Amino acid sequence: LGDVYKRQGENNAAWKAGARRALVSGAVAEGTIAGRTCAWKQWTDFNSGRDPFLSWTSEEGRAAEEDRLLDWVAHLAFTLGRKASTIKNKVSNIAVRHIEEVGVHPTDGMPRLRRALRTLKRLSGPTRRKFPAAPPLLRQTRRLVRRRGWSARDQVIWRAVVSVGFNFMLRCGG
């Protein structure tokens, strides 16, 4: 949360504002801060000159702001080729920035945005998992090398390479 403890002689209003900001922002990792900063920069670049903060006073205004977010999601997905999980993360980072700065969650009440994110996830297909190179797989490769008639020297080299790879989290794609 940073240094939010009040010091002697510190302005009370400034301290309260800083304490509220620290509580709302939470204790986040540096990587999270970098991701949020990157998403916000991309969002502001996309809006080029428009106020990046979403705000509305009527249903038509909400629909227009939802359209603006949908345009950005379409740009990320179809122009830049970002994956559904990346886009969802970026939209979430924009929402967090709004909550921190304005105090309002902008994507609440945006059903078309939620549907768009679900559609992108569905279009991306099933998640491709990585399978660990477990000991049974290592034993199988050892048997295969023996059956192929490799020399003892080549078998030792192969075993060393596979063992080092296994010990350093070698994974095979599925």
Side-chain angles (χ1 to χ4, degrees):
L1 292 176
D3 188 18
V4 294
Y5 295 99
K6 191 167 184 195
R7 291 180 178 73
Q8 188 75 22
E10 186 174 11
N11 180 339
N12 199 37
W15 175 82
K16 284 181 179 179
R20 284 192 301 266
R21 192 170 28 260
L23 288 170
V24 171
S25 298
V28 295
E30 284 183 36
T32 303
I33 293 169
R36 287 180 183 169
T37 303
C38 179
W40 186 254
K41 180 174 180 349
Q42 290 173 348
W43 171 245
T44 55
D45 288 348
F46 179 79
N47 285 292
S48 63
R50 290 178 63 184
D51 183 11
F53 289 99
L54 301 168
S55 63
W56 60 89
T57 56
S58 65
E59 180 57 28
E60 293 78 22
R62 185 207 54 78
E65 294 293 45
E66 188 175 18
D67 284 344
R68 185 161 55 137
L69 261 175
L70 286 169
D71 291 343
W72 188 53
V73 167
H75 172 70
L76 292 172
F78 305 125
T79 304
L80 300 180
R82 299 294 183 259
K83 294 185 184 264
S85 58
T86 301
I87 295 169
K88 185 176 180 182
N89 196 347
K90 288 182 183 296
V91 170
S92 176
N93 286 332
I94 299 307
V96 166
R97 181 68 178 258
H98 277 75
I99 292 167
E100 290 174 355
E101 299 290 328
V102 184
V104 176
H105 195 300
T107 61
D108 280 351
M110 292 188 171
R112 293 182 303 142
L113 177 66
R114 282 195 308 275
R115 281 186 68 99
L117 294 174
R118 276 196 307 256
T119 298
L120 289 174
K121 183 176 181 181
R122 199 174 313 114
L123 290 174
S124 67
T127 304
R128 292 189 58 198
R129 303 279 183 212
K130 291 185 175 180
F131 301 105
L137 181 62
L138 297 176
R139 284 191 289 273
Q140 185 180 358
T141 60
R142 201 164 123 203
R143 281 193 301 271
L144 183 66
V145 165
R146 283 188 191 142
R147 269 190 251 135
R148 297 254 167 111
W150 287 17
S151 69
R153 179 181 174 274
D154 288 346
Q155 287 182 35
V156 168
I157 292 171
W158 176 251
R159 190 169 183 187
V161 167
V162 171
S163 294
V164 168
F166 176 74
N167 288 321
F168 290 102
M169 305 302 282
L170 173 69
R171 301 207 181 266
C172 56

